[in-house]
């Protein structure tokens, strides 16, 4: 596609909103934020929106669905951290504090759409519909990802940073070549935006005009390194304009704002307007993993400050005030979350049923002669061990 | 196989193209490059999920012209240029393979594939395993490799060991025109990812091969499989030269000279480094009792080292002499005027044959 064609496309989409291409691509001057930390709906002139950057509010039913997933997500994060402390799970990178982002990333998608999560996106994967024990397979020290990516349209949680963004681009590209209208949400963190594949993925997606939403959870830390040492850009969302795509900033602890922004992004992508970059401002409330000590690099006061902006309490207050969260609804939602937590406890309290010989089964479509020999050697050792 | 809408240019029918190819084949020898080009065209015709992309592979037809004419014939959705980013090319191919396509991608030169190494080692090689076989990645990464063409720095590396060392990848390297065609077709049809090393010094080499006939044999399943099957390039009885890719032709010349001196050398072209054909190699060495491994890559921790180890493990009692190696030196690939000192030469191979303890 020629540069002119790109310019035409941007003009076409910016015309829809009655703004210039530059104003369409650059994020709104302020972060999109619909709810105050106490759950109050902000007045329209304080929501960060501006002409051309307006967002449909989610319906009450949609909000309740998202809230339910949020409560489950929080419960799962805390249950998993407890299982790690009890030695029932090898490692867990908790997304405590970021659950609203993850719920929105999964719920904005429709059937047939794909999600590309990272290792910290357990809650997004759960929300996409993957069974709880399947999601947690790799964290209990198994050798495989635990679920069938094609059954859920959800890629394996990526451990290397931003490599999966390019896979997301490829999935979208293949769908486009076949004339399918598939949207892909590709997730990464703030630290990951420094990786080369972040750049290559955004560039490829824009050049091929693919319906990919790059969703960055800026949780302020890459293990210990603060965001100020990752980027000197005015915001990560501003990076979009350099690739010829639109960027947006959103309060990552505001479920209502996230649902609004992501739903709009998915719609725009599906309509053929190319990729988008969404930066969600959130905070990693706990250490990087159980193996990390966050006291070495941040102050308790900073964590306390973010605790006051908690995403669960915020939307709960709103729903309460709006009369949506009836006692019955609250009880049902809590029961649902508890059931998932129980599934995880019960599952993790049983030892994984692993067969070392299976390590050779899926490396190739059929074993090489050399691997068959090695598998036989191990089988022989195992047999002698048992005898 | 997934079904895709046909993107074939309706103005050029397959029959016309095939007839033209046939006419060309009957009268003149075919180059290695043309065999690869024909294999790509035939794969695009045979399977709608095949897509080709990379740097300069579209309008230009590739810097070595291996994709020449494919965009014109099959359309820009089947063969297209990408932004200049190797990790991006491989990463996007992974996603496309996850979603039903069979990408065939080109890395412009051996050393320019290094930016893609993480994608290849961490994902191309491991996606099938990570997903218990649920996400196979049928894709081919074509890499023009090795020296002998007077190339400058970064254009002549023999990087096959990095990939052969990575479980989950298959590594093919053809040495004849017929193998160029057959092995590329097999690679594209493989359910596993294949790193396909093309010895660039062979691109312009010619042989009398009827590609039309070869295509029919392949498509009817009558062509012998090449994967995991070494080829006896020349039969002999006194010693075995085990080799692959660009060094096969050098070994053939060495065997010819040796024959004039009364020494009968067998030349084994291993064809696919992964999977490796231990049996054919061991059978030859048990017969001859002597072996030299010849490869252009630097010898330390190399594919040649692995082959030597495998030969002595299997043939120790048949060996009349230690298994020796003729490889590139353990130095960065030298400048064009100096490459001849580094490349395994006929003379160096014959000198090494002389060291195989013939007196003992």
């Amino acid at each position: 596609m020629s540069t002119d064609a790109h310019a035409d496309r941007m003009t076409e989409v910016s015309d829809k909103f009655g703004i210039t291409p530059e104003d369409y691509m650059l994020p709104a001057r302020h972060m999109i934020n619909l709810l105050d930390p106490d759950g109050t709906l902000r007045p329209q002139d304080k929501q960060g929106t501006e002409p051309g950057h307006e967002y449909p509010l989610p319906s009450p039913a949609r909000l309740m669905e998202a809230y339910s997933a949020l409560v489950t997500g929080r419960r799962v994060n805390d249950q998993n951290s407890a299982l790690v402390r009890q030695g029932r799970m090898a490692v867990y990178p908790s997304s405590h504090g970021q659950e609203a982002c993850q719920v929105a990333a999964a719920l904005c998608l429709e059937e047939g759409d794909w999600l590309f999560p990272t290792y910290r996106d357990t809650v997004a994967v759960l929300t996409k519909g993957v069974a709880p024990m399947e999601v947690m397979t790799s964290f209990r020290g198994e050798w495989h990802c635990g679920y069938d990516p094609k059954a859920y349209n959800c890629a394996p949680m990526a451990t290397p940073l931003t490599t999966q963004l390019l896979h997301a681009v490829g999935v979208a590209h293949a769908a486009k070549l076949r004339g399918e209208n598939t949207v892909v949400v590709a997730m990464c963190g703030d630290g990951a935006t420094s990786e080369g594949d972040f750049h290559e993925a955004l560039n490829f997606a824009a050049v091929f005009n693919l319906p990919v939403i790059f969703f960055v959870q800026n949780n302020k830390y890459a293990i210990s390194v603060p965001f100020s040492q990752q980027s000197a850009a005015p915001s990560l969302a501003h990076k979009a304009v350099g690739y010829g795509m639109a960027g947006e900033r959103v309060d990552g602890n505001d479920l209502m704002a996230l649902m609004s922004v992501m739903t709009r992004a998915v719609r725009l992508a599906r309509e053929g307007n190319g990729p988008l970059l969404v930066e969600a401002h959130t905070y990693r409330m706990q250490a990087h993993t159980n193996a990390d000590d966050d006291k070495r690099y941040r102050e308790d006061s900073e964590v306390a400050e973010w605790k006051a902006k908690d995403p669960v309490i915020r939307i709960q207050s709103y729903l309460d005030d709006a009369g949506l969260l009836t006692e019955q609804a609250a009880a049902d939602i809590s029961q649902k979350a508890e059931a998932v937590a129980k599934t995880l406890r019960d599952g993790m309290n049983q030892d994984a049923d692993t067969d070392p010989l299976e390590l050779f089964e899926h490396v190739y479509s059929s074993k090489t002669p050399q691997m068959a020999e090695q598998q036989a050697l191990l089988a022989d050792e195992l047999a002698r061990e048992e005898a | 196989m997934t079904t895709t809408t046909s993107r074939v240019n309706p103005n050029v029918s397959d029959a016309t193209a095939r007839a033209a190819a046939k006419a060309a084949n009957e009268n003149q020898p075919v180059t290695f490059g043309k065999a690869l080009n024909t294999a790509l065209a035939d794969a695009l015709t045979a399977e709608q999920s095949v897509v080709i992309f990379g740097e300069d592979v579209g309008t230009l037809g590739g810097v070595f012209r291996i994709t020449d004419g494919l965009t014109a014939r099959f359309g820009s959705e089947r063969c297209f240029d990408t932004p200049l980013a190797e990790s991006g090319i491989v990463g996007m191919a992974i996603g496309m393979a996850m979603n039903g396509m069979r990408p065939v991608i080109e890395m412009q030169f051996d050393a320019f594939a290094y930016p893609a190494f993480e994608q290849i080692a961490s994902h191309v090689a491991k996606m099938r395993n990570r997903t218990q076989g649920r996400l196979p990645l049928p894709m081919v990464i074509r890499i023009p490799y090795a020296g002998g063409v007077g190339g400058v720095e970064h254009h002549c590396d023999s990087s096959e060991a990095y990939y052969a060392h990575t479980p989950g990848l298959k590594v093919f390297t053809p040495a004849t025109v017929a193998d160029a065609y057959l092995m590329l077709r097999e690679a594209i049809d493989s359910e596993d990812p294949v790193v396909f090393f093309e010895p660039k010094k062979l691109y312009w080499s010619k042989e009398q091969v009827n590609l039309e006939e070869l295509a029919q044999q392949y498509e009817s399943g009558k062509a012998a499989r090449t994967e995991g099957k070494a080829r006896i390039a020349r039969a002999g009885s006194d010693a075995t030269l085990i080799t692959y890719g660009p060094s096969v032709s050098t070994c053939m010349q060495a065997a010819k000279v040796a024959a004039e001196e009364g020494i009968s050398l067998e030349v084994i072209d291993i064809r696919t480094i992964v999977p490796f054909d231990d049996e054919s190699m061991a059978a030859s060495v048990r017969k001859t009792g002597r072996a030299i491994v010849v490869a252009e890559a630097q010898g330390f921790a190399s594919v040649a080292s692995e082959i030597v180890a495998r030969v002595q493990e299997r043939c120790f009692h048949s060996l009349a002499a230690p298994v020796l190696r003729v490889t590139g030196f353990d130095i960065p690939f030298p400048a064009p005027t100096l490459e001849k000192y580094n490349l395994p030469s006929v003379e160096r191979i014959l000198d090494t044959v002389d060291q195989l303890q013939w007196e003992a």
Side-chain angles (χ1 to χ4, degrees), chain A residues 279-298:
Chain A
E279 176 190 16
H281 278 270
T282 183
Y283 193 75
R284 195 192 74 211
M285 294 299 291
Q286 296 176 351
H288 168 65
T289 66
N290 45 299
D292 176 35
D293 175 11
D294 62 335
K295 301 240 181 291
R296 292 174 73 102
Y297 53 82
R298 66 182 181 187

Side-chain angles (χ1 to χ4, degrees), chain A residues 186-203:
Chain A
M187 305 174 75
C188 73
D190 49 301
T193 64
S194 300
E195 292 278 1
D197 277 357
F198 176 80
H199 157 71
E200 294 191 22
L202 269 69
N203 191 45

Side-chain angles (χ1 to χ4, degrees), chain B:
Chain B
M1 302 271 162
T2 40
T3 51
T4 52
T5 322
S6 173
R7 311 282 179 191
V8 178
N9 182 346
N11 297 324
V12 184
S13 77
D14 290 341
T16 316
R18 291 228 168 177
K22 192 173 181 185
N25 280 338
E26 277 168 2
N27 303 321
Q28 48 191 325
V30 183
T31 63
F32 191 92
K34 181 63 189 170
L36 293 169
N37 177 266
T38 307
L40 292 172
D42 289 356
L44 284 165
T45 304
E47 175 50 54
Q48 284 300 313
S49 59
V50 172
V51 280
I52 294 170
F53 53 93
E55 295 155 6
D56 302 296
V57 302
T59 309
L60 180 67
V63 292
F64 291 108
R65 307 293 183 264
I66 305 302
T67 56
D68 189 32
L70 299 181
T71 301
R73 183 173 160 199
F74 294 95
S76 60
E77 293 190 328
R78 301 288 309 278
C79 178
F80 56 88
D81 292 323
T82 65
L84 212 167
E86 293 77 14
S87 186
I89 293 166
V90 175
M92 184 168 78
I94 291 170
M96 292 177 86
M98 286 170 73
N99 198 6
M101 308 299 265
R102 298 179 94 83
V104 182
I105 55 177
E106 177 174 304
M107 299 283 103
Q108 201 157 71
F109 283 90
D110 33 64
F112 296 156
Y114 299 146
F117 195 73
E118 185 188 13
Q119 288 287 356
I120 297 173
S122 292
H123 301 297
V124 175
K126 292 178 184 161
M127 193 65 82
R128 169 186 281 277
N129 190 64
R130 182 181 297 139
T131 59
Q132 292 180 295
R134 288 151 168 165
L135 275 186
L137 296 180
M139 58 186 276
V140 179
I141 303 169
R142 294 180 40 243
I143 305 182
Y145 85 122
V149 295
V152 293
E153 199 187 4
H154 311 298
H155 292 69
C156 295
D157 283 13
S158 285
S159 49
E160 65 273 21
Y162 303 126
Y163 305 94
H165 190 65
T166 305
L169 303 175
K170 287 181 173 171
V171 181
F172 291 13
T173 180
T176 67
V177 171
D179 272 0
Y181 180 86
L182 289 174
M183 290 173 69
L184 187 51
R185 290 298 305 270
E186 273 188 45
I188 295 170
D189 285 342
S190 172
E191 291 307 310
D192 298 304
V194 176
V195 184
F196 195 87
F197 279 101
E198 300 166 4
K200 61 178 91 69
K201 80 168 187 189
L202 297 183
Y203 277 146
W204 304 274
S205 69
K206 288 181 180 177
E207 286 172 55
Q208 199 79 42
V209 171
N210 187 330
L211 288 179
E212 174 74 8
E213 213 169 84
L214 213 53
Q216 279 166 7
Q217 282 173 10
Y218 178 78
E219 283 172 12
S220 62
K222 286 181 190 140
R225 299 283 296 177
T226 63
E227 182 183 317
K229 303 281 179 216
R231 181 179 67 95
I232 300 174
R234 181 189 173 109
S237 55
D238 295 334
T240 305
L241 302 180
I242 304 165
T243 187
Y244 57 87
S247 300
V248 172
S249 55
T250 318
C251 286
M252 293 297 278
Q253 289 169 42
K256 200 172 160 208
V257 176
E260 288 159 12
E261 295 170 3
I263 300 171
S264 169
L265 296 179
E266 181 147 299
V267 179
I268 301 281
D269 168 9
I270 67 165
R271 301 208 280 198
T272 66
I273 298 171
V274 183
F276 190 79
D277 183 0
D278 279 311
E279 276 180 34
S280 301
M281 178 196 65
S284 173
V285 178
R286 283 194 196 108
K287 181 181 75 178
T288 62
R290 289 177 168 84
I292 298 170
V293 182
V294 183
E296 219 181 283
Q298 53 275 30
F300 191 83
S302 64
V303 171
S305 312
E306 176 65 21
I307 297 175
V308 171
R310 304 189 81 83
V311 171
Q312 70 84 19
E313 282 170 357
R314 284 162 180 77
C315 308
F316 184 76
H317 294 292
S318 309
L319 287 170
V323 182
L324 300 179
R325 278 177 293 170
V326 178
T327 66
F329 296 130
D330 295 320
I331 55 172
F333 196 88
T337 51
L338 296 167
E339 71 171 339
K340 62 176 183 284
Y341 301 109
N342 181 61
L343 294 169
S345 62
V346 169
E347 292 71 28
R348 199 173 283 154
I349 293 168
L350 293 174
D351 285 349
T352 310
V353 170
D354 287 345
Q355 293 168 35
L356 290 174
Q357 304 190 3
W358 299 98
E359 308 308 322

Side-chain angles (χ1 to χ4, degrees), chain A residues 237-254:
Chain A
H238 278 81
K239 294 193 175 203
V241 68
Y243 298 102
M245 71 171 82
E248 207 60 273
R249 280 174 295 181
V250 57
D251 185 326
N253 287 16
D254 179 349

Side-chain angles (χ1 to χ4, degrees), chain A residues 83-138:
Chain A
L83 285 164
V84 169
R85 286 193 298 273
Q86 295 155 16
R88 300 305 309 177
M89 208 156 67
V91 68
Y92 184 65
S94 176
S95 63
H96 188 114
Q98 302 173 222
E99 294 94 341
C101 296
Q102 309 218 351
V103 164
L107 283 186
C108 67
L109 294 172
E110 289 167 24
E111 202 179 332
D113 293 343
W114 273 79
L115 181 72
F116 278 76
T118 76
Y119 56 85
R120 200 180 300 285
D121 299 325
T122 302
V123 173
V125 178
L126 265 176
T127 308
K128 189 82 171 71
V130 181
M133 278 305 290
E134 291 184 6
V135 182
M136 298 314 302
T137 302
S138 57

Side-chain angles (χ1 to χ4, degrees), chain A residues 2 44 122 151 227 247:
Chain A
S2 70
Q44 202 157 9
T122 302
F227 178 62

